[in-house]
Amino acid sequence: MNLYFSIIVPVYNRPEEIRELLESLVQQDFKKSYEVVIVEDGSLESSGDIVKKFEKDLQISYYFKENSGPGDSRNFGMQKAKGNYFIILDSDCILPKQYLVEVDKELKRDFVHCFGGPDAADDSFTTVQKAINYVMTSFFTTGGIRGSSNSIGKFQPRSFNMGISKEAFAKAGGFGRIHPGEDPDLTFRIWKAGYTSRLFPKAFVYHKRRIDWNKFYIQVNKFGMVRPILNKWHKGTARLTYWFPTLFMVGLITSALLAVTGFIFPLLVFAAYFLTLFIDSLIKNKSFIVAYLSIFAALTQFIGYGTGFLKSTILLNFSNKEPEKLFPKLFFKRK
């Protein structure tokens, strides 16, 4: 296939993020032609003026639409795009200069209709951003699969750094209305359409994740609620590992209660785990503060995801209502 990339970026009230992303695109080592499609999802803070500043350096188009969520905005952008291979990025990502070169290399080496890339923390990130990035990508938490070069098989890409061919997009029908979770939902439908996906280990992005602790908890809690819905929609995709955060949370609470009675061994096991997490984060981030915050971020992740997963599992199994009725905040309405 003679590849022509269309980079699709939905944006919502974050013009400065788009500026940083476009600056990183201008600095790409990739010398072939490609286009950038910015989709403003009903923002009150327009990115239009920022985008105009890059018209001389990038083949770029800008569209404004009513707010209907990131999935629908990505679909809109892919429908407008001229390319035959779409690269989907979040507005809070910054690309290393070799990003497009690495994507092109991987597709030429072993073409695939859908790929995902890891995320990493840049030196300019705050301590909180680095801690959250660590737990979202670490082997020792729930994020290991997205950053592991050993997860080449049926890899589930995430839409902050995802590629999909125009052919697979048309066959799978694009993103659905659920959010978050629209990316694995699309991946499962891509598989059902007869295509596969894999990880491009060197095609990483710097994912800034501009969220505080409360927003992080809400985000991972929604991730937990979404997973049982996806398991129900896509038979055969459920894994025992999805229960890990819930079991971790229950185990930690039980261990604390047992410690009150004098039986401290289970709590010592958890202490050893957190020590391992601290040391690993310290080695990777070279910061005691980030290492300490990584423990707090891991607890937030496990408790948020675990409670969301448990709540969703119970409601889906003991209610006759459809997921959209049970969890209306997880679904965007079509405009």
Side-chain angles (χ1 to χ4, degrees), residues 1 3-8 74-75 78 81 83-89 99 103 107 111-116 157-159 161-175 183 186-187 189-191 193 195-197 200:
M1 180 186 292
L3 295 173
Y4 180 71
F5 295 136
S6 292
I7 297 175
I8 314 296
R74 296 179 191 115
N75 291 342
M78 288 185 279
N84 57 8
Y85 207 102
F86 308 133
I87 297 176
I88 302 160
L89 301 170
Y99 174 83
V103 170
L107 290 172
F111 182 82
V112 69
H113 283 272
C114 180
F115 77 85
R158 294 294 182 265
S159 52
N161 181 12
M162 179 181 186
I164 176 175
S165 69
K166 184 176 182 178
E167 177 184 324
F169 166 71
K171 283 254 183 105
F175 290 96
D183 28 21
L186 174 57
T187 300
R189 286 187 279 110
I190 287 171
W191 295 349
Y195 303 103
T196 188
S197 60
F200 288 5

Side-chain angles (χ1 to χ4, degrees), residues 203-217:
F204 66 89
V205 300
Y206 299 117
H207 196 188
K208 299 192 79 166
R209 290 192 180 90
R210 288 197 176 99
I211 53 179
D212 55 29
W213 292 115
N214 182 57
K215 290 179 180 177
F216 180 53
Y217 176 85

Side-chain angles (χ1 to χ4, degrees), residues 53-64:
K53 294 178 181 179
F54 290 87
E55 288 178 345
K56 292 182 179 179
D57 298 311
L58 296 169
Q59 186 175 329
I60 192 167
S61 55
Y62 171 84
Y63 299 94
F64 185 95

Side-chain angles (χ1 to χ4, degrees), residues 14-28 50 54 58 90-96 122 124-125 129 206 208 210:
R14 291 180 173 182
E16 282 306 304
E17 284 186 352
I18 279 295
R19 180 184 58 78
E20 292 178 321
L21 173 57
L22 294 178
E23 285 174 350
S24 70
L25 279 168
V26 171
Q27 296 169 10
Q28 289 295 294
I50 297 290
F54 290 87
L58 296 169
D90 275 359
S91 62
D92 58 355
C93 290
I94 299 173
L95 306 185
D122 185 66
S124 64
F125 285 16
Q129 286 174 332
Y206 299 117
K208 299 192 79 166
R210 288 197 176 99

Side-chain angles (χ1 to χ4, degrees), residues 31-326:
K31 302 304 179 185
K32 298 178 184 177
S33 178
Y34 65 92
E35 69 166 340
V36 182
V37 180
I38 306 298
V39 182
E40 191 91 60
D41 186 25
S43 300
L44 297 177
E45 299 177 45
S46 173
S47 301
D49 290 340
I50 297 290
V51 172
K52 284 182 181 179
K53 294 178 181 179
F54 290 87
E55 288 178 345
K56 292 182 179 179
D57 298 311
L58 296 169
Q59 186 175 329
I60 192 167
S61 55
Y62 171 84
Y63 299 94
F64 185 95
K65 53 177 276 298
E66 290 186 62
N67 179 253
S68 58
D72 197 46
S73 296
R74 296 179 191 115
N75 291 342
F76 181 93
M78 288 185 279
Q79 289 163 356
K80 295 290 185 181
K82 301 179 179 69
N84 57 8
Y85 207 102
F86 308 133
I87 297 176
I88 302 160
L89 301 170
D90 275 359
S91 62
D92 58 355
C93 290
I94 299 173
L95 306 185
K97 63 180 183 178
Q98 75 277 9
Y99 174 83
L100 287 175
V101 171
E102 294 297 340
V103 170
D104 192 53
K105 280 183 184 177
E106 287 282 358
L107 290 172
K108 286 180 177 177
R109 180 181 67 83
D110 183 13
F111 182 82
V112 69
H113 283 272
C114 180
F115 77 85
D119 52 336
D122 185 66
D123 290 339
S124 64
F125 285 16
T126 67
T127 53
V128 172
Q129 286 174 332
K130 289 177 180 178
I132 290 176
N133 181 82
Y134 171 78
V135 300
M136 292 295 284
T137 59
S138 173
F139 171 80
F140 294 107
T141 62
T142 63
I145 186 173
R146 290 192 292 116
S148 171
S149 59
N150 296 322
S151 304
I152 300 291
K154 279 203 165 185
F155 177 75
Q156 298 178 28
R158 294 294 182 265
S159 52
F160 65 83
N161 181 12
M162 179 181 186
I164 176 175
S165 69
K166 184 176 182 178
E167 177 184 324
F169 166 71
K171 283 254 183 105
F175 290 96
R177 294 185 297 108
I178 193 168
H179 177 73
E182 70 273 19
D183 28 21
D185 173 53
L186 174 57
T187 300
F188 294 148
R189 286 187 279 110
I190 287 171
W191 295 349
K192 288 178 182 177
Y195 303 103
T196 188
S197 60
R198 66 184 178 92
L199 173 68
F200 288 5
K202 294 183 179 179
F204 66 89
V205 300
Y206 299 117
H207 196 188
K208 299 192 79 166
R209 290 192 180 90
R210 288 197 176 99
I211 53 179
D212 55 29
W213 292 115
N214 182 57
K215 290 179 180 177
F216 180 53
Y217 176 85
I218 292 171
Q219 182 185 64
V220 293
N221 184 251
K222 286 183 176 180
F223 288 158
M225 287 191 287
V226 159
R227 183 55 70 175
I229 298 174
L230 297 179
N231 293 343
K232 182 178 181 178
W233 285 351
H234 305 283
K235 304 300 182 184
T237 61
R239 299 178 185 174
L240 286 175
T241 51
Y242 295 153
W243 279 96
F244 176 70
T246 302
L247 296 176
F248 183 96
M249 178 185 65
V250 173
L252 183 59
I253 294 172
T254 303
S255 298
L257 293 174
L258 288 173
V260 174
T261 68
F263 185 49
I264 65 169
F265 178 75
L267 197 59
L268 291 176
V269 173
F270 279 95
Y273 166 76
F274 287 121
L275 179 60
T276 301
L277 202 70
F278 179 89
I279 293 172
D280 185 60
S281 179
L282 180 62
I283 292 171
K284 287 183 170 63
N285 293 292
K286 299 178 177 58
S287 167
F288 281 97
I289 296 176
V290 174
Y292 169 74
L293 290 177
S294 295
I295 295 175
F296 184 74
L299 279 169
T300 304
Q301 181 189 55
F302 285 135
I303 294 172
Y305 188 103
T307 54
F309 185 89
L310 185 61
K311 174 184 176 182
S312 181
T313 299
I314 292 171
L315 289 176
L316 287 172
N317 283 283
F318 293 95
S319 173
N320 293 323
K321 293 182 179 180
E322 290 298 313
E324 192 166 349
K325 296 293 184 182
L326 289 170

